[in-house]
Amino acid sequence: MSDTLLARSAEALFWLARYVERTENLARILDVNDTFSRDRAGGQNWLSIVQLHADEEAFFARHTMASAQTVLGFYVTDATNPTSVASAVRAARENARILRPLISTEMWVQLNMFHARIAALGPQDLRPGQLSPLFAWIKEACQLHTGITEGTFQRDQGWYFYQLGRYLERADQTTRLLDIKYHVLLPDPRELGSPVDVSQWNALLRSAAGYHAYRRLHATGITPAQVAGFLLLNRRFPRSVYLCVREAELLLAELKARYGLRRGNAAAERLDGLRALLSGIGIEAILLQGLHEFLDMVQQRLNLLGEDLMAGFFSYGDQRSFESPVSAR
Amino acid sequence: MLSAYAAPGLFCELTDAPAAAPVRERLAALSIEALHRRAAAAEAELYNLGITFTVYSDKDAIDRILPFDVIPRVLSGAEWQQIEAGVVQRVTALNLLLEDLYHGQRILKDGVLPADLILAHSQFRPEMQGVDLPHGTYVQICGTDIIRDADGGFLVLEDNARTPSGVSYVIENRHMMLRAFPDLVDGVPLRPIDTYGLQLLSALRACAPPAAADPAVVLLSPGSYNSAFFEHVFLAREMGVPLVEGRDLVVQDDRVYMRTIGGLSRVDMIYRRLNDDFLDPEAFRPDSMLGVPGLMRAYRAGNVGLANAVGTGVADDKAVYAYMPRIIRYYLGQEPILPNVETHLCREPEGLAYTLDHLDRLVVKPVGEAGGYGITIGPRASQEERAACRARLLADPANYISQPCISLSVAPTLVDGAVEPRHVDLRPFAITGAKTWVLPGGLTRVALRKGSLIVNSSQGGGSKDTWVLE
């Protein structure tokens, strides 16, 4: 009995991890933008956050201008925006509710309380000066979830799907983070190497908690190419795309071997291909073919990977329409 | 705390019961303020734990807790013995009745029960005719609603033999009390209640098809939007079995499987928290999106077990209830250990005449409703309400029963800064596999509105922890 995992539960675990990871990344991006991202005139560029998520249409349907107030409202408290913290935490909690027979009480209680506090946030909580503590708390709440999960969740099949969700979402978020900086920073070649540019790339590293790790590796200075290479290809940095893909590949192989699962070969092959690609290429070659194009291709493969997992595990033996667990996107 | 408390003319569960003395003394030593403080902390904890039911409106999903009163209801060992024996007797009779109704129908032929009452009943399932069930158990889980009159005597108010709910609150209330009032519990010989999940699982396994050597048990829920979803989660966790929805199950060659990541996996026994009507769109309501097409075929073929069995609704009907003392005598040759409330069947001319003549003293209930809906309490009804009730009775007498207005017992309850008497009832839960086990205590529901006799959670009721002393 304990060896069976409902396909629907596996999918809900995958999404639970994804939504918490997404929330953490969103808090990182907003925090860093608030604290470090200043342009030459000292203003903050909040539009870049909207561009990062390709949310221009939805955002400008609600607001006329990208100010700190409107962008923060849109991405923190606006429950009608599927890419907000409020939506991601609600989706995480709804998946956890479905999963309550499987997850620990401590995991559930923490998420339930996190959700209650997020749902109670209003404009008064988004005033300047309150943001940094707010984002620090959101990040911590996500990390607390991760820690409680590590310490209390059964290491059975469900654990693998949870971990797969975490790493795939993290890889995806890192590519998005890089992609927006490419959009915002690189189009104007005159700004390359200027002080403002460096501070922007600093901010990027900080948002991925990679600033100090990067400085240890590249003590001489910060170049866009090295930052991009670090976030994409580094073998040890826990948020690099390479490391996330490699972890996912190992997890899937172990899951299949340990539980004798014959399905999921397409996902395994795609992960293998992606890992091989990332380990065989240098950042110079990537920049040569175009960073944006490369990131786009990685994102597409990650999306297809999600579909492979769906076909291989989440909708196995399907004869009727199989409504997926709560997903905001 | 109890200095200003009085319940004149009513039976009080705490002050009129000698066995409750130790608990009463400990409570008396607590101040109202301390009680309030701890009650507020306990309530906050219920929210954090998500022990809630969700109320959906157009734009919001609001999580509510079942109001919990921190002053426990206490039963002595001797009181419990009577309740336990009475519940076992009743559940045994219900199972014998159902097995008979779906086989030889001896009781109808012998004229003890009117055949038209049963055969025309909307909950009578001809599909079940001749289907043999392991141990002859139809009602694996039964909730028996019991009240206490002004003299402290126990009476059965109603049997719930379909999908009775509330047991999760019994156990969560106890956990809450142990955390919030360790000083109150310390040294009191309380009967433990934490084996419910084990007892339930072993009964379910006992009722699985005999061919299954190691039966795979699941709990079938309508889904996370159901108001009782918390309880479904709770029970699945307590038993350690998968919590499935209809869309997780599939029937192939009259066998039931669940969809897992490794493929289809056989299911032998289903504790379903879904009414008969929604179980199988092929057999019952074709518009049911919650059920499993083909489930009845698999069930009738003996390839899967269901708890409770299909068709138990015919036995817990309010009209059949009136015959329960006769049913117990018929099958068991015993007098009922727990008496019924005196009941007048309006389907019988004498019953109707008596009801119409004594409307101002009777409670009139529709036979098919649950949750306290459609009830007219004669002594409290206005002239117009009584007239409307009379008209309904004359239009469709068979749909009604009437009972005398019982002065329900009360228990001290914390309300708005004071401790006041509020009416309570009791729902013990009985589990039956090869034989019947009763969870010590059960759900004490309390009518939080002053003077109200209706304890249902849908009508402003709350709950209390129920203590059975050794």
Side-chain angles (χ1 to χ4, degrees):
Chain A
M1 265 331 277
S2 56
D3 260 1
T4 53
L5 178 66
L6 287 178
R8 187 168 53 84
S9 301
E11 191 180 10
L13 281 163
F14 179 78
W15 281 104
L16 166 61
R18 287 198 80 147
Y19 281 116
V20 175
E21 185 66 29
R22 191 174 291 177
T23 304
E24 180 182 335
N25 279 281
L26 192 48
R28 287 178 179 285
I29 289 164
L30 295 171
D31 189 23
V32 165
N33 205 68
D34 178 56
T35 314
F36 298 106
S37 293
R38 307 250 162 209
D39 60 21
R40 195 174 279 171
Q44 289 165 307
N45 184 349
W46 286 101
L47 184 63
S48 66
I49 308 279
V50 180
Q51 293 168 330
L52 167 67
H53 294 92
D55 277 335
E56 290 94 331
E57 200 177 315
F59 180 83
F60 287 108
R62 293 169 174 80
H63 306 285
T64 50
M65 167 187 145
S67 66
Q69 197 192 1
T70 55
V71 172
L72 285 168
F74 185 71
Y75 282 111
V76 180
T77 52
D78 188 345
T80 67
N81 168 24
T83 57
S84 69
V85 168
S87 292
V89 174
R90 186 184 55 209
R93 190 243 188 195
E94 274 306 302
N95 280 298
R97 211 162 88 84
I98 293 167
L99 289 164
R100 276 183 70 181
L102 296 180
I103 64 178
S104 67
T105 301
E106 286 150 57
M107 285 171 73
W108 160 250
V109 169
Q110 190 261 340
L111 264 178
N112 191 40
M113 293 173 72
F114 182 30
H115 170 258
R117 273 187 72 179
I118 290 287
L121 290 178
Q124 70 283 358
D125 300 298
L126 301 178
R127 286 193 289 251
Q130 293 173 308
L131 293 171
S132 197
L134 174 66
F135 294 130
W137 167 69
I138 294 174
K139 264 191 295 185
E140 260 180 44
C142 295
Q143 290 166 336
L144 183 56
H145 162 81
T146 310
I148 293 173
T149 304
E150 197 280 330
T152 64
F153 191 53
Q154 286 293 103
R155 297 303 195 270
D156 55 17
Q157 293 136 299
W159 170 257
Y160 289 93
F161 286 99
Y162 176 90
Q163 291 287 86
L164 278 168
R166 168 172 306 288
Y167 281 112
L168 292 188
E169 180 69 23
R170 192 180 285 175
D172 185 66
Q173 291 290 337
T174 301
T175 61
R176 284 165 191 271
L177 202 60
L178 258 179
D179 204 14
I180 184 55
K181 287 301 162 185
Y182 174 90
H183 271 308
V184 175
L185 301 178
L186 289 186
D188 187 354
R190 287 165 305 174
E191 295 210 350
L192 263 182
S194 71
V196 169
D197 187 40
V198 167
S199 83
Q200 299 271 15
W201 289 97
N202 272 342
L204 179 64
L205 282 168
R206 284 180 200 278
S207 71
Y211 180 71
H212 292 106
Y214 175 88
R215 294 314 293 244
R216 281 212 305 278
L217 266 177
H218 304 281
T220 50
I222 283 184
T223 70
Q226 280 172 348
V227 172
F230 178 76
L231 290 177
L232 266 175
L233 306 175
N234 190 277
R235 304 291 166 102
R236 294 175 193 87
F237 179 57
R239 312 193 84 80
S240 83
V241 177
Y242 171 83
L243 187 132
C244 293
V245 168
R246 192 201 62 194
E247 288 291 337
E249 187 189 13
L250 293 176
L251 283 162
L252 183 58
E254 204 175 295
L255 167 72
K256 281 170 58 62
R258 185 170 287 182
Y259 294 96
L261 300 175
R262 288 188 296 274
R263 310 269 295 204
N265 291 332
E269 275 167 33
R270 202 180 299 280
L271 274 168
D272 180 56
L274 191 52
R275 200 253 314 128
L277 172 73
L278 291 165
S279 54
I281 197 168
I283 188 62
E284 296 75 19
I286 293 173
L287 292 176
L288 209 61
Q289 76 175 79
L291 179 62
H292 173 68
E293 287 70 21
F294 186 80
L295 293 172
D296 211 36
M297 182 264 292
V298 172
Q299 280 172 13
Q300 273 177 30
R301 290 204 190 181
L302 290 171
N303 285 342
L304 290 170
L305 199 53
E307 289 173 26
D308 293 339
L309 290 172
M310 170 64 90
F313 299 112
F314 303 154
S315 59
Y316 188 98
D318 203 10
Q319 290 178 327
R320 284 192 286 166
S321 70
F322 198 81
E323 185 192 329
S324 50
V326 187
S327 69
R329 268 189 189 167
Chain B
M1 175 209 99
L2 291 168
S3 52
Y5 177 83
L10 298 165
F11 185 87
C12 175
E13 298 286 340
L14 198 69
T15 54
D16 292 334
V23 180
R24 198 160 59 229
E25 282 156 24
R26 284 159 203 245
L27 276 170
L30 278 171
S31 71
I32 296 263
E33 293 71 33
L35 210 55
H36 260 297
R37 216 169 31 243
R38 295 206 217 175
E43 189 165 299
E45 203 175 329
L46 288 175
Y47 275 110
N48 291 343
L49 284 166
I51 302 176
T52 49
F53 57 95
T54 309
V55 181
Y56 293 93
S57 69
D58 290 346
K59 54 189 263 289
D60 290 316
I62 302 154
D63 287 322
R64 295 245 171 85
I65 56 170
L66 180 67
F68 169 60
D69 184 71
V70 295
I71 305 174
R73 186 256 190 94
V74 182
L75 292 167
S76 71
E79 286 169 331
W80 177 248
Q81 216 170 14
Q82 188 203 348
I83 293 172
E84 187 180 38
V87 166
V88 170
Q89 182 191 50
R90 227 169 148 97
V91 171
T92 307
L94 281 172
N95 278 311
L96 289 168
L97 169 67
L98 285 160
E99 177 156 61
D100 187 18
L101 291 180
Y102 290 120
H103 289 83
Q105 302 184 338
R106 215 158 44 87
I107 196 167
L108 306 185
K109 290 171 186 150
D110 289 344
V112 176
L113 263 182
D116 67 310
L117 175 65
I118 298 299
L119 302 178
H121 197 286
S122 66
Q123 298 294 314
F124 181 74
R125 305 288 180 190
E127 296 89 343
M128 289 300 291
Q129 204 63 50
V131 177
D132 294 330
L133 299 180
H135 311 293
T137 299
Y138 286 73
V139 184
Q140 284 88 351
I141 301 98
C142 189
T144 311
D145 289 351
I146 295 172
I147 56 171
R148 218 164 179 184
D149 62 20
D151 303 323
F154 293 107
L155 300 165
V156 175
L157 188 64
E158 147 179 330
D159 303 288
N160 294 278
R162 299 175 216 191
T163 50
S165 66
V167 73
S168 59
Y169 294 107
V170 176
I171 294 159
E172 291 293 352
N173 285 354
R174 176 63 55 82
H175 290 167
M176 185 61 59
M177 284 304 287
L178 294 178
R179 281 193 296 266
F181 292 88
D183 43 348
L184 204 57
V185 186
D186 194 33
V188 176
L190 271 188
R191 294 237 183 133
I193 55 174
D194 34 30
T195 57
Y196 187 84
L198 286 173
Q199 293 280 356
L200 179 57
L201 182 59
S202 84
L204 291 171
R205 289 170 62 97
C207 292
D214 180 18
V217 178
V218 299
L219 192 147
L220 173 62
S221 165
S224 63
Y225 295 105
N226 186 272
S227 62
F229 184 67
F230 164 73
E231 177 152 303
H232 307 161
V233 167
F234 175 89
L235 291 168
R237 287 185 69 124
E238 289 292 308
M239 292 192 285
V241 306
L243 175 61
V244 305
E245 297 177 18
R247 56 190 158 126
D248 296 317
L249 299 181
V250 59
V251 178
Q252 286 179 3
D253 302 326
D254 291 352
R255 288 178 170 79
V256 182
Y257 300 89
M258 61 182 148
R259 304 163 203 268
T260 78
I261 55 161
L264 297 180
S265 173
R266 184 78 186 267
V267 172
D268 302 300
M269 185 70 199
I270 302 174
Y271 177 18
R272 46 90 172 216
R273 297 293 299 250
L274 220 58
N275 290 337
D276 287 359
D277 285 339
F278 292 96
L279 265 186
D280 178 354
E282 282 182 14
F284 305 116
R285 276 179 66 153
D287 60 336
S288 172
M289 302 297 289
L290 305 171
V292 185
L295 183 57
M296 270 309 282
R297 274 187 279 118
Y299 185 46
R300 285 166 49 90
N303 289 331
V304 71
L306 291 174
N308 289 348
V310 170
T312 57
V314 72
D316 72 357
D317 172 88
K318 288 188 177 71
V320 174
Y321 161 88
Y323 293 92
M324 272 312 281
R326 289 178 240 179
I327 292 168
I328 291 170
R329 278 182 216 114
Y330 180 75
Y331 290 114
L332 301 174
Q334 299 168 354
E335 281 305 304
I337 298 168
L338 292 171
N340 261 17
V341 176
E342 172 194 332
T343 301
H344 309 280
L345 286 160
C346 301
R347 72 196 319 277
E348 295 174 350
E350 319 84 79
L352 178 63
Y354 182 87
T355 303
L356 292 172
D357 286 349
H358 299 85
L359 261 190
D360 55 337
R361 278 188 270 152
L362 295 171
V363 181
V364 180
K365 300 177 178 179
V367 292
E369 297 283 338
Y373 293 104
I375 290 180
T376 306
I377 299 175
R380 301 195 179 177
S382 64
Q383 283 289 355
E384 294 78 40
E385 283 165 340
R386 276 206 291 273
C389 179
R390 177 179 298 273
R392 285 197 299 271
L393 276 169
L394 288 168
D396 186 10
N399 192 36
Y400 294 92
I401 58 158
S402 69
Q403 293 170 334
C405 201
I406 305 284
S407 176
L408 288 192
S409 63
V410 293
T413 302
L414 185 63
V415 276
D416 300 331
V419 174
E420 292 182 9
R422 288 291 184 271
H423 292 293
V424 295
D425 78 347
L426 178 68
R427 174 180 289 184
F429 291 88
I431 292 176
T432 308
K435 55 186 188 1
T436 299
W437 174 84
V438 190
L439 177 71
L443 182 64
T444 292
R445 297 185 296 179
V446 50
L448 295 173
R449 260 179 293 146
K450 190 170 192 142
S452 171
L453 293 170
I454 299 181
V455 295
N456 304 70
S457 58
S458 51
Q459 310 259 333
S463 72
K464 284 170 168 288
D465 191 11
T466 311
W467 291 5
V468 176
L469 306 180
E470 290 291 352

